[in-house]
Amino acid sequence: MKLIKKIFLALVVLIIVLGIILYAYLYSTKPQYEGELAIKNISKETNVFFDEYGIPHIYASNEKDALTVLGYVHAQERLWQMELLRRIAPGKLSEIFGSKALDNDKLFLALGIDENSEEAISKLDKNGKSYQLAMAYLDGVNQYLENGKTPVEFTLLGIEKKPFTLKDVYNTIGYMAFSFACAQRTDPLMTDLKNKLGDSYMKELGIDLSYNLTKINSNNNTTVQTYVEASKAVADLLDSSPFPPFIGSNSWVVGPRKSASGKVLFANDPHISYSQPGTWYEAHINSPDQEIYGYYLAGVPFPLLGHNRQYAYGLTMFENDDADFYQEETNPNNGNQYKIAQGFKDFTIRKKEIKIKDSTAIALNIKNTTHGAVMNGILKDFNPKQPVSLYWIYTHEENKILDALYTLSHSKNLEEFRKGVSYIAAPGLNVMYGDAQNNFAWQTSGKLYKMGKDLNPNYILNGANGIDDKLEFFDFDKNPRAINPSWNYVYSANNMAHEIDGYAYPGYYLPEDRAKRIVSLLESKNKWSKDDFQKMIYDNTSIVSAKVANNFSKWLNVSVLDATEKETLEVLKEWKGSNTTLEVAPTIYNKWIYFYLKSTFQDEMGELGFKQFLKTHIMKQCVDNQSQLANSVWWDNVSTKNVKETRSDILTQSFKETIANLKSQLGDNVADWQWGKVHQVEYKHPIGSLAIFRPFFNVGIFEAPGSNEVINNVMFYYTDADHYEISAGPSTRRIIDFSDIENSVSILPTGQSGNPMSKHYNDQAQMYIDGKFRKMKMNKKEIETNSTKLVFKVK
């Protein structure tokens, strides 16, 4: 017995000692927020003040010194994220994650982002400011890489440290650009459905853009189951990406006549898949050359969102079509050739190698046509009889993205700013602008093109006829925009813009829910304040959802409902479309939407097609519009013989399924079906997927207000599961007030740091959930008063 006690005590002591050693190791990896550091390649001492939320305020004698120091402090917080992000585009995730990342690597190697980056860099002016400042930033990153602390993720995964290069910057931006595109999620599925069901079914999905009713005003007016696997493969890869893809966004800017102060007010909240660490790293740079308070992607030297005392800018997704699938035709007498209008042409072959952790490398031969890489064998389970290639404008047009980002963050006036926007061939963006001179503007980016009159790019196009790939490119001046419009505001909610010269730009626009709410609120009053904007950007109400719920309720066969079903119906009838955590109606509504969609569409689409349909913008577009069609072709369940179902039949059936599902998951008491019980968010780290590491790396779980397509757009896929996997939402909420620039406000979903040992890893998480804000400080005295100071000495 004494021996057992001794062994037990020894084990306890061993565990404690190991715990102390582990904690000491983890503590040693914490970022340094005060003291002194000596680094090379700065001309004078540079001071960095870290405020209460870990935001660095860098005061330097010149911008080159500031960018060098920015690179260093950015790396000490986000080196792991930088490493992860730079590996996606060149197909190097398998080197650290093994074969489970192979499909991801194959796709991104096929896209050719890496080669496009090399070509773009070869054309850069090496004496230009954008190049020199980018190299200074990379120098700072690499000095930290060489001399700083090693992130715990590097140790766990055995990652070898290698210097960062300018190609890593371009590859990072290339990946983000691809994540904006929607064609790869949608076009193959739509082609299958059209081939299988015909045009009448597709029209009721709004494939002709007819459901895009709330449009952004501009003022510059001058074969079955062959392809769906492609949609599924790309959607699955982006959904499981170790770095979050961009999904949507809101932004609005009111002019001086519509603000209480008589100065421009600016709001922006880009919607991005949630992750830990989050997408943005905030930094405030001040030098005699430049001041900018910016939001930076990991490893990128210039901010994608930013402001200073002169102007502010932000982004939302344009959702225009900038990628298309083409069905090629192989030469029947020579499998190495494909058909073009003039005859046949040889495929070009790119030879690549993918190294796989703890396994042998694989060789990858990528076929290319004039349109782009052939996706057969690249996308998982995608092997149609004829080659299908993917055209993406990002890799076909000149890549000026570094100069674009530099210009956006260094403009002296609106015209310079618009010139920077013109450098962006892809992705398509709604770029929002406001300045201290009371200018306010919305300007779209992207190299826009027009196809033949009868072509719909939502379908796979014919790559062999010499017609479908004839593109008429527009001058940048034709891009939709509104500059100081007479209606005194500009906005974007990923909805469609008005036609230019009678042409409706094809795209994958989101439904009018958020747009309608934003417009109704902005039109409701003329004297907006910063406090008003803070409430509006956290708004959880959908007037469209309330209308849909009311319509669904009217179309039910009430006579077959039991007592509980009637009780829940009354809850929905009284609902005004708000989505707070304590409400019951959102729980009922969102579950009903799932069962309505399933009962209406799955019989025609099939199980796989329906699951993919749930991930498309087209699904979101059609709910309100299709359900209003009393004689829609979709109502009839084709699986039932000698019966033709009506709208009332389908909605009644789906409502009964909804209530049965909720009772089994949440109990019989309807009052207990609160939205916060099923709508919760956890911010997930790639390593946090392993249960042992989850408490250390992940942040949350939090009950989350908001829902799909409200201004506080907290996104999930419809499901019959007992809770919703929240996948995305506002990546930041920013409000800039040009009447009081030093008290502009913001918030991040979790925190500034990517280091789990930092107190800034999750110190904003509860504030974000609660709709609170913190200052984006620019007043030096205020900054010095409440900050720690890290001094960078000349080495």
Side-chain angles (χ1 to χ4, degrees):
M1 193 68 179
K2 289 182 178 180
L3 179 61
I4 293 173
K5 285 184 178 180
K6 287 181 179 180
I7 293 172
F8 177 74
L9 287 173
L11 287 173
V12 171
V13 171
L14 179 62
I15 292 170
I16 292 172
V17 169
L18 290 174
I20 293 171
I21 292 171
L22 177 61
Y23 182 80
Y25 161 69
L26 293 173
Y27 189 84
S28 73
T29 67
K30 287 180 66 174
Q32 183 176 349
Y33 296 126
E34 55 188 329
E36 293 183 354
L37 283 170
I39 66 171
K40 297 179 289 186
N41 302 326
I42 57 173
S43 61
K44 291 184 179 179
E45 182 175 294
T46 300
N47 295 324
V48 181
F49 298 93
F50 291 93
D51 67 22
E52 308 97 306
Y53 294 96
I55 314 300
H57 302 264
I58 301 169
Y59 289 85
S61 61
N62 59 72
E63 194 175 4
K64 181 176 177 294
D65 287 359
L67 266 290
T68 304
V69 170
L70 172 65
Y72 193 98
V73 298
H74 197 174
Q76 81 160 349
E77 301 277 19
R78 301 291 185 98
L79 186 62
W80 152 249
Q81 193 178 44
M82 292 177 179
E83 179 68 29
L84 195 63
L85 195 46
R86 72 164 165 173
R87 286 177 172 271
I88 299 175
K92 294 182 178 180
L93 286 177
S94 296
E95 292 181 11
I96 59 174
F97 291 127
S99 58
K100 67 180 180 181
L102 184 58
D103 290 334
N104 197 94
D105 287 346
K106 288 166 65 177
L107 171 61
F108 281 96
L109 279 172
L111 290 174
I113 295 172
D114 198 49
E115 293 94 328
N116 178 267
S117 297
E118 286 183 7
E119 182 181 355
I121 292 167
S122 71
K123 296 177 180 178
L124 284 176
D125 176 5
K126 305 305 188 289
N127 295 315
K129 287 282 287 183
S130 62
Y131 177 84
Q132 293 181 349
L133 291 174
M135 295 307 291
Y137 170 86
L138 290 168
D139 178 38
V141 171
N142 288 327
Q143 287 195 60
Y144 182 82
L145 185 77
E146 182 179 356
N147 303 312
K149 300 164 184 175
T150 302
V152 64
E153 294 95 339
F154 277 59
T155 304
L156 287 172
L157 295 173
I159 298 173
E160 179 185 355
K161 291 182 177 180
K162 294 181 179 179
F164 283 75
T165 68
L166 195 54
K167 190 164 77 163
D168 294 323
V169 175
Y170 273 83
N171 282 343
T172 292
I173 299 169
Y175 162 68
M176 297 306 293
F178 184 74
S179 78
F180 278 58
C182 293
Q184 63 273 17
R185 290 175 178 260
T186 306
D187 294 2
L189 172 64
M190 292 301 109
T191 302
D192 273 357
L193 295 179
K194 180 176 183 290
N195 290 343
K196 180 180 180 180
L197 302 170
D199 290 334
S200 60
Y201 281 85
M202 304 312 293
K203 182 174 176 57
E204 291 186 7
L205 295 181
I207 202 77
D208 59 354
L209 303 179
S210 59
Y211 291 166
N212 293 275
L213 300 178
T214 304
K215 299 179 182 179
I216 307 174
N217 289 326
S218 57
N219 64 356
N220 64 328
N221 282 314
T222 58
T223 301
V224 179
Q225 297 302 325
T226 299
Y227 305 114
V228 68
E229 295 292 353
S231 290
K232 181 180 184 299
V234 179
D236 288 349
L237 286 176
L238 290 176
D239 287 344
S240 60
S241 171
F243 192 87
F246 282 62
I247 295 176
S249 302
N250 301 312
S251 188
W252 57 91
V253 190
V254 300
R257 293 182 181 178
K258 210 165 177 65
S259 74
S261 68
K263 289 290 184 179
V264 166
L265 271 171
F266 179 102
N268 184 210
D269 60 318
H271 304 153
I272 302 176
S273 291
Y274 284 137
S275 66
Q276 184 58 13
T279 301
W280 304 115
Y281 180 78
E282 289 184 48
H284 172 215
I285 291 174
N286 192 306
S287 74
D289 311 317
Q290 164 79 341
E291 181 178 25
I292 193 76
Y293 191 113
Y295 282 68
Y296 296 80
L297 288 179
V300 177
F302 306 121
L304 273 71
L305 321 171
H307 76 280
N308 54 29
R309 297 173 192 276
Q310 285 71 50
Y311 72 104
Y313 64 97
L315 307 174
T316 79
M317 289 173 62
F318 184 14
E319 305 284 359
N320 63 300
D321 181 46
D322 63 7
D324 293 293
F325 285 94
Y326 284 92
Q327 174 77 68
E328 310 289 359
E329 186 177 327
T330 305
N331 185 345
N333 300 314
N334 184 349
N336 296 318
Q337 294 184 327
Y338 64 99
K339 187 178 180 181
I340 59 175
Q342 297 78 22
F344 291 97
K345 186 173 182 178
D346 289 342
F347 290 102
T348 58
I349 306 296
R350 291 184 289 132
K351 295 182 179 295
K352 297 290 182 180
E353 181 183 70
I354 301 177
K355 295 178 181 178
I356 305 173
K357 185 177 182 179
D358 299 328
S359 185
T360 56
I362 69 164
L364 188 65
N365 293 325
I366 303 167
K367 282 185 176 181
N368 269 70
T369 70
T370 54
H371 304 118
V374 172
M375 292 289 109
N376 306 48
I378 297 295
L379 297 176
K380 185 178 180 182
D381 300 326
F382 183 63
N383 287 290
K385 292 180 180 179
Q386 291 287 349
V388 175
S389 59
L390 177 62
Y391 170 87
W392 180 33
I393 200 166
Y394 183 90
T395 55
H396 281 257
E397 293 293 313
E398 185 177 1
N399 187 340
K400 296 182 177 180
I401 197 66
L402 192 72
D403 286 338
L405 296 182
Y406 171 81
T407 304
L408 294 184
S409 59
H410 289 76
S411 296
K412 302 301 181 187
N413 53 55
L414 176 55
E415 284 311 304
E416 278 189 25
F417 186 83
R418 291 187 63 235
K419 185 177 181 181
V421 177
S422 74
Y423 293 152
I424 304 172
L429 301 168
N430 295 295
V431 187
M432 312 300 288
Y433 176 93
D435 67 28
Q437 286 71 48
N438 281 337
N439 294 302
F440 56 105
W442 155 68
Q443 173 69 65
T444 56
S445 76
K447 187 72 173 174
L448 303 181
Y449 54 87
K450 184 177 182 179
M451 289 183 165
K453 182 179 179 181
D454 296 324
L455 292 177
N456 188 329
N458 286 136
Y459 302 127
I460 291 177
L461 303 170
N462 187 326
N465 63 10
I467 298 172
D468 289 14
D469 57 2
K470 283 186 176 179
L471 307 178
E472 176 189 340
F473 287 94
F474 292 95
D475 291 335
F476 176 70
D477 192 56
K478 293 293 185 182
N479 280 38
R481 67 180 184 270
I483 298 174
N484 298 326
S486 58
W487 51 91
N488 297 315
Y489 66 88
V490 292
Y491 83 99
S492 166
N494 315 119
N495 53 316
M496 188 175 179
H498 269 286
E499 297 83 356
I500 303 297
D501 292 346
Y503 182 70
Y505 291 108
Y508 305 88
Y509 304 106
L510 281 157
E512 63 179 352
D513 304 41
R514 284 182 289 122
K516 209 165 193 176
R517 180 66 172 170
I518 289 169
V519 169
S520 69
L521 290 172
L522 290 177
E523 291 283 357
S524 69
K525 61 185 288 185
N526 282 323
K527 298 299 179 183
W528 286 86
S529 68
K530 181 177 70 176
D531 289 342
D532 294 331
F533 268 31
Q534 289 183 41
K535 294 173 184 175
M536 181 173 168
I537 207 168
Y538 189 64
D539 183 84
N540 293 310
T541 297
S542 170
I543 52 182
V544 173
S545 294
K547 183 185 80 170
V548 170
N550 185 263
N551 284 342
F552 276 24
S553 300
K554 289 189 299 185
W555 298 328
L556 280 180
N557 180 0
V558 182
S559 66
V560 299
L561 302 185
D562 64 24
T564 302
E565 291 163 351
K566 289 178 180 177
E567 180 185 355
T568 56
L569 187 60
E570 290 305 310
V571 172
L572 277 182
K573 286 180 177 179
E574 295 175 6
W575 186 46
K576 303 302 182 185
S578 59
N579 292 269
T580 65
T581 56
L582 296 178
E583 290 182 269
V584 170
T587 309
I588 303 167
Y589 174 78
N590 285 289
K591 192 60 64 80
W592 193 4
I593 290 295
Y594 170 77
F595 281 109
Y596 142 73
L597 290 167
K598 184 178 180 181
S599 298
T600 304
F601 298 107
Q602 183 170 290
D603 54 308
E604 288 93 353
M605 293 182 177
E607 185 175 354
L608 179 61
F610 175 68
K611 286 181 179 178
Q612 184 53 37
F613 177 64
L614 290 178
K615 298 182 178 183
T616 66
H617 292 353
I618 289 172
M619 176 277 294
K620 293 181 178 182
Q621 282 272 21
C622 81
V623 170
D624 179 28
N625 296 283
Q626 183 275 333
S627 64
Q628 294 189 53
L629 302 174
N631 298 313
S632 169
V633 293
W634 292 97
W635 293 131
D636 182 40
N637 185 343
V638 298
S639 302
T640 59
K641 304 299 182 184
N642 303 318
V643 178
K644 186 174 183 179
E645 285 79 9
T646 65
R647 177 172 63 186
S648 179
D649 293 334
I650 294 299
L651 289 177
T652 303
Q653 171 195 325
S654 59
F655 184 70
K656 283 182 162 293
E657 290 174 324
T658 296
I659 306 312
N661 179 271
L662 290 173
K663 286 172 70 174
S664 69
Q665 293 169 356
L666 298 171
D668 292 337
N669 186 357
V670 175
D672 289 338
W673 299 355
Q674 295 172 344
W675 186 228
K677 291 181 179 180
V678 298
H679 191 247
Q680 301 176 344
V681 63
E682 180 178 15
Y683 306 99
K684 298 176 181 178
H685 187 287
I687 297 179
S689 60
L690 299 174
I692 190 173
F693 295 120
R694 180 180 175 186
F696 182 68
F697 285 109
N698 292 2
V699 175
I701 301 170
F702 299 95
E703 293 189 0
S707 186
N708 284 325
E709 295 306 314
V710 297
I711 294 177
N712 184 27
N713 192 15
V714 182
M715 288 169 270
F716 54 87
Y717 292 137
Y718 293 112
T719 178
D720 59 356
D722 60 3
H723 70 285
Y724 296 99
E725 291 282 349
I726 293 177
S727 58
S731 58
T732 176
R733 301 184 184 107
R734 302 163 59 225
I735 297 169
I736 293 125
D737 181 357
F738 280 99
S739 72
D740 188 16
I741 198 71
E742 292 181 352
N743 286 304
S744 297
V745 296
S746 176
I747 197 70
L748 294 174
T750 56
Q752 167 80 347
S753 181
N755 188 315
M757 294 302 292
S758 170
K759 66 179 180 180
H760 303 304
Y761 189 68
N762 59 5
D763 58 343
Q764 298 179 54
Q766 191 62 57
M767 294 171 62
Y768 172 87
I769 288 292
D770 294 339
K772 296 180 180 178
F773 293 85
R774 52 165 177 75
K775 279 188 188 182
M776 294 185 283
K777 294 182 179 179
M778 297 183 76
N779 183 294
K780 189 174 182 181
K781 287 186 178 179
E782 182 184 16
I783 291 165
E784 289 176 338
T785 301
N786 297 297
S787 301
T788 59
K789 183 178 180 181
L790 181 59
V791 180
F792 284 81
K793 300 279 190 179
V794 180
K795 189 171 183 178

